């Protein structure tokens, strides 16, 4: 509505001004030659554009310039003038698109407290109810302002100052100030809360304070290049201090436990508010009409708790829900019948098998290399995974900063049975007693491929067992439930173990914590240790120079390719199928669950 | 013959012992599961520090016997502790929200099964080797052999998706099914799970009713009743059926027991968030408090239903007395 009035007002103004200038021109003289309308720069003829994201006057010139010349959401409007951050300013047609509900089915949502969120279902809800200092540009992994309208870092990259938007409110009317951020981070870092993500704060942040109501300053322990993307993480989101502290009881230690009465009525400053939650049944969010970036188009975002993938697909086909994933068994059908309704994006994830680098037999580099090129990769992905994933030749997924196509193409350990045998022969790992099985350090090579429950891994394993047999290694395949798999990883109770890693934040450093010596045994469950790599990782962490970081990442990837601490398998792509009446759904490499979906709208007539 | 009161008191005393025994066994079994609940909850992305803090919060860092006793204390006070997965939510709250839907389709499944199986079984026995009899036997065989979840998935694929007669996932407002109107109106949405669960029950009940009736009908006292000149209807319904139902009542009681646990597979297939799903999820997520609480509730239910069945026996069969 406002937009329409503004358009009319602007039009009226322009018409008036043109009329005035025309009349001035015409009334000026009786000469036959018409004089052009006056063009002076002294008096502006159009109104100055409003600056919605006003930068503090005393900002460092470089930082100010950075913000003034950035178009975060790529809609053609520079940041200071961009009113609908995250939505194309030309696209915002509230009148036509407002209304409707988006219906989804998801696993049970277990947490409303940002500091406890560890699963994507809960993350989806919490990311909509709460906001943080920064967020990702929708559908991408680039940080952009959210609660903070601008920020500066000191030269070293250790002290960050965030300038908050003024006038932000929580949905219960409480004003949002820097004190709320301090309160929220205090909770995260307080052991008595036993936050699942406590180390995200304590590992990197030295101190933080509210300089004034709208200025929040963070001092890091050491410069941390990915700090800004880390700030997008759910655990750093902002809660209302008054509301939460008055309805919460927390003990002195973790043992005393916590009571959080506000969990039934979570209040945030996000684009959505909790409308209804029935444990075990469903959850409904409703639009926050006063959201600073404009309210979502939709009135409601609904979650029904149903986990069975097959059932969800059937419900989608019957029109009960608006979006579904595409399980492997439906892949071909959906590509045939619903091809233009599919939304595919590369996830920042790599799936692999850990070699146990500390114990027999994979403490042997030769064995690791041989098995790496001795088991089929590309062909298995094409047949069993129907080609929907990309084969992995290293730790970093494509789309991650630091991923090198060059290294990918030059990979030395593509499937080559002959090469694998050669490596083993050269290393003296041979079959001395002619029973078809090689020996290493006096023991027959009998190993187990341990994996979590998955029909596709089981199918792949059939191929691999044959590959290994050909290589002279006797292998069995065994499935375990996920809890057991984690225990095996922690205790080193395995030879080859399937797992994967999904990025917490889009920086290579987040993947490399799995290859650092100090990360043994968790998350470095392969127990890989290389001093040079450790040094590189630490440098990667602290050096802010992009070009240098890229080079360091290249070196690390190259080393990892050579050392084969994991059997690299694939980088996943997520695919969703949307109903034809759904428009504007966003999903980036960090997953669709963290998106606010401000631009999501439903064509009611079509539905 | 001992009195009703003493009988019940004796049964209750035994029940308490059974519950404590089951609690003890369950407690130690769950703790024998590989995998640490805190670690499973955090997944791979949790730090050592976070895992340790959460263990403290959930009381997992205490010695086993201390945990054993503290849970026992909770139960005696009528509480069931906090869930691990949904901390700090109470286990009772989780169960309370999921119980209604399981109870709903469970009850209807039994009603359906009994309503169909008993008349069918009686008719089959009465007109042995007739068409009705053959149909009944066929249904029993199929119903007993069909895997529960397969039937469910077939029903969804054909009835819900292909034919579009019902929604694949029940679309009823929570709790509506326990209102007077909703109790019947929600049948449409839950018809598939009811059929799925009910078919298996129906099959075994039909078989049992039929064979039981066949046996009874040949008994001397039936022949005597006929000879006395009683109407066929009285003979069949009042005399024969009453006795034939004894094993059937036992069977239905057993089926109730299975339902108390919640039809896990059915709930998984139909996306129903009932007790069955809560149970299986709790095991996968190592949510010990929920596993222990549900096991105890289940056991309590078994004991209660056994008691009711015993009392029903006494009513149906005058030869059975309360001992």
């Amino acid at each position: 509505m406002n937009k329409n009035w503004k358009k009319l007002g602007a039009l009226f103004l322009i018409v008036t001004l043109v009329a005035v200038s025309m009349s001035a021109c015409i009334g000026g003289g009786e000469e036959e030659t018409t004089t052009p309308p006056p063009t002076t720069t002294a008096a502006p003829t159009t109104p100055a554009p409003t600056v919605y994201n006003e930068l503090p006057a005393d900002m460092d010139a470089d930082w100010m310039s950075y913000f003034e010349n950035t178009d975060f959401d790529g809609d053609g409007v520079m940041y200071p003038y961009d009113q609908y951050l995250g939505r194309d300013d030309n696209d915002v047609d509230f009148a036509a698109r407002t209304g409707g509900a988006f219906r989804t089915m998801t696993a049970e949502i277990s947490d409303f407290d940002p500091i406890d969120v560890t699963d994507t279902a809960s993350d989806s809800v919490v990311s909509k109810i709460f906001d943080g200092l920064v967020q990702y540009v929708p559908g991408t992994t680039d940080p952009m302002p959210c609660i903070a309208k601008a920020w500066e870092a000191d030269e070293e990259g250790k002290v960050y100052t965030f300038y908050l938007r003024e006038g932000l409110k929580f949905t219960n009317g409480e004003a949002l100030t820097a004190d709320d951020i301090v309160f929220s981070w205090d909770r995260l870092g307080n052991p008595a809360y036993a936050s699942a993500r406590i180390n995200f704060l304590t590992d990197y942040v030295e101190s933080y304070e509210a300089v004034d109501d709208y200025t929040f300053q963070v001092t890091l322990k050491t410069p941390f290049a990915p700090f800004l993307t880390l700030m997008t993480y759910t655990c750093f989101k902002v809660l209302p201090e008054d509301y939460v502290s008055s309805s919460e009881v927390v003990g002195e230690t973790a043992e005393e436990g916590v009571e959080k009465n506000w969990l039934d009525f979570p209040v945030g400053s996000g684009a959505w508010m909790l409308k209804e939650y029935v444990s075990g049944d469903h959850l409904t969010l409703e639009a926050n009409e006063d959201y600073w970036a404009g309210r979502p188009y939709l009135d409601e975002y609904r979650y029904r708790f149903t986990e069975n993938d097959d059932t969800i697909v059937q419900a989608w086909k019957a029109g009960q829900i608006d979006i579904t994933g595409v399980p492997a068994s439906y892949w071909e059908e959906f590509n045939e019948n619903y091809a233009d309704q599919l939304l595919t994006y590369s996830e920042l994830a790599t799936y692999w098998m850990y070699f146990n680098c500390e114990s027999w037999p994979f403490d042997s580099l030769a064995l690791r290399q041989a098995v790496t090129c001795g088991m089929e990769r590309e062909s298995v992905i094409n047949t069993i995974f129907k080609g929907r994933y990309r084969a992995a030749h290293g730790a970093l997924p494509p789309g991650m900063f630091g991923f090198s196509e060059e290294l990918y193409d030059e990979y030395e350990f593509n499937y080559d049975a002959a090469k694998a045998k050669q490596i083993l022969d050269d290393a003296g790992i041979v079959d001395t007693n002619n029973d078809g099985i090689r020996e290493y350090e006096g023991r027959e090579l009998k190993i187990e491929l341990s994996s979590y429950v998955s029909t596709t891994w089981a199918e792949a394993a059939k191929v691999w067992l044959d590959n290994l047999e050909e290589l002279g290694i006797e292998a069995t395949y065994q499935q375990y439930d996920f809890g057991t798999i984690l225990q095996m990883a922690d205790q080193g109770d395995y030879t080859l173990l399937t797992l994967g890693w999904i990025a917490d934040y889009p920086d290579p450093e987040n993947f490399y914590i799995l290859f650092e010596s100090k990360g043994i045994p968790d998350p470095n469950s392969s127990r890989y240790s290389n001093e040079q790599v450790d040094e590189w990782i630490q440098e990667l962490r602290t050096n802010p120079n992009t070009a240098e970081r890229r080079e360091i990442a290249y070196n690390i990837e190259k080393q990892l390719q050579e050392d084969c601490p994991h059997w690299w398998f694939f980088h996943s792509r997520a695919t969703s199928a949307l109903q034809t009446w759904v428009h504007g759904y966003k999903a980036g490499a960090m997953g669709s669950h963290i998106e606010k979906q401000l631009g999501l709208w439903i064509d009611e007539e079509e539905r | 013959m001992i009195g009703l009161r003493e009988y019940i008191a004796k049964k209750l005393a035994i029940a308490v012992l059974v519950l404590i025994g089951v609690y003890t066994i369950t407690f130690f079994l769950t703790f024998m599961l590989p995998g640490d609940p805190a670690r499973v909850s955090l997944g791979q992305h949790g730090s050592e520090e976070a895992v340790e803090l959460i263990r403290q919060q959930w009381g997992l860092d205490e010695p086993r016997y201390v945990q054993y006793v503290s849970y026992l204390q909770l139960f005696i006070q009528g509480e069931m502790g906090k869930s691990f997965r949904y901390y700090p939510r109470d286990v009772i709250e989780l169960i309370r929200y999921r119980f209604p839907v399981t109870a709903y389709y469970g009850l209807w499944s039994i009603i359906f099964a009994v309503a169909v199986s008993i008349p069918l079984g009686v008719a089959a026995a009465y007109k042995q080797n007739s068409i009705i009899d053959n149909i009944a036997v066929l249904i029993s065989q199929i119903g007993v052999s069909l895997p529960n979840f397969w039937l469910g998935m077939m029903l969804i694929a054909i009835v819900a998706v292909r034919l579009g007669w019902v929604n694949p996932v029940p679309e009823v407002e929570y709790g509506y099914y326990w209102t007077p109107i909703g109790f019947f109106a929600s049948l449409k949405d839950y018809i598939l799970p009811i059929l799925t669960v009910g078919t298996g029950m129906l099959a075994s009940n039909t078989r049992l009713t039929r064979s039981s009736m066949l046996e009874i009908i040949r008994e001397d006292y039936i022949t005597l009743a006929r000879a006395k000149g009683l109407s066929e209807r009285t003979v069949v319904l009042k005399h024969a059926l009453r006795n034939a139902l004894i094993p059937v009542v036992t069977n239905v009681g057993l089926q109730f027991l299975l339902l108390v646990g919640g039809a896990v597979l059915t709930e998984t297939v139909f996306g129903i968030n009932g007790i069955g799903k809560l149970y299986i999820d709790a095991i996968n997520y190592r949510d010990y408090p929920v596993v222990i609480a549900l096991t105890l509730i289940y056991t309590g239910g078994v004991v209660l239903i056994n008691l009711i069945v015993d009392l029903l026996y006494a009513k149906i069969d005058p030869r059975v007395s309360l001992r």
Side-chain angles (χ1 to χ4, degrees), chain A residues 423-479:
Chain A
I423 295 176
L424 289 179
D425 290 338
D426 288 345
I429 300 172
V430 290
D431 177 13
T432 49
N433 59 0
N434 265 320
D435 63 347
I437 307 175
R438 296 176 190 253
E439 288 106 41
Y440 172 63
E441 287 183 349
R443 286 165 67 180
E444 301 253 291
L445 278 171
K446 295 185 185 175
I447 61 172
E448 180 183 286
L449 266 62
S450 318
S451 98
Y452 49 84
V453 176
S454 157
T455 40
T456 34
W457 279 95
E459 294 242 2
K462 288 189 199 141
V463 175
W464 294 331
L465 295 188
D466 284 339
N467 292 152
L468 289 172
E469 200 189 319
E470 205 198 309
L471 195 54
I473 299 174
E474 187 180 296
T476 52
Y477 173 74
Q478 190 67 32
Q479 292 193 336

Side-chain angles (χ1 to χ4, degrees), chain A residues 108 196-197 199 254-255 257-259 279-280 304-305 307-308 311 314 320 481 487 490 500 502 504 522, chain B residues 35 39 42 44-47 57 61 82 86-87 89 97-98 161 167-171 268-269 273 277 286:
Chain A
E108 173 98 35
R197 298 284 180 250
N199 66 302
E255 260 142 2
V258 291
E259 288 289 344
S279 172
R304 276 210 54 189
F305 304 149
E307 261 175 81
N308 186 306
T311 313
Q314 306 290 26
Q320 263 186 295
D481 81 294
Q487 181 165 293
D490 285 349
I502 304 176
D504 293 313
D522 166 62
Chain B
R39 191 76 172 89
L42 247 45
Q44 298 170 264
H45 295 249
S47 67
Q57 193 182 58
D61 57 334
K82 294 190 189 305
Y86 299 96
Y87 190 89
R89 292 189 193 274
Y97 278 106
R98 288 163 182 69
V161 180
N167 291 320
V169 178
E171 192 92 43
T268 307
V269 164
N273 282 305
K277 177 138 191 308
R286 309 289 193 275

Side-chain angles (χ1 to χ4, degrees), chain A residues 11-26 37-38 45:
Chain A
L11 191 62
F12 176 80
L13 203 52
I14 290 170
V15 165
T16 313
L17 286 165
V18 168
V20 164
S21 45
M22 286 300 281
S23 64
C25 154
I26 290 167
T45 52

Side-chain angles (χ1 to χ4, degrees), chain A residues 205-228:
Chain A
V205 174
E206 177 73 50
S207 66
Y208 49 89
E209 60 163 336
V211 174
D212 59 48
D213 273 352
Y214 300 109
T215 314
F216 179 72
Q217 200 167 71
V218 183
T219 307
L220 302 177
K221 289 184 173 164
T222 63
F224 183 57
F227 176 63
L228 226 39

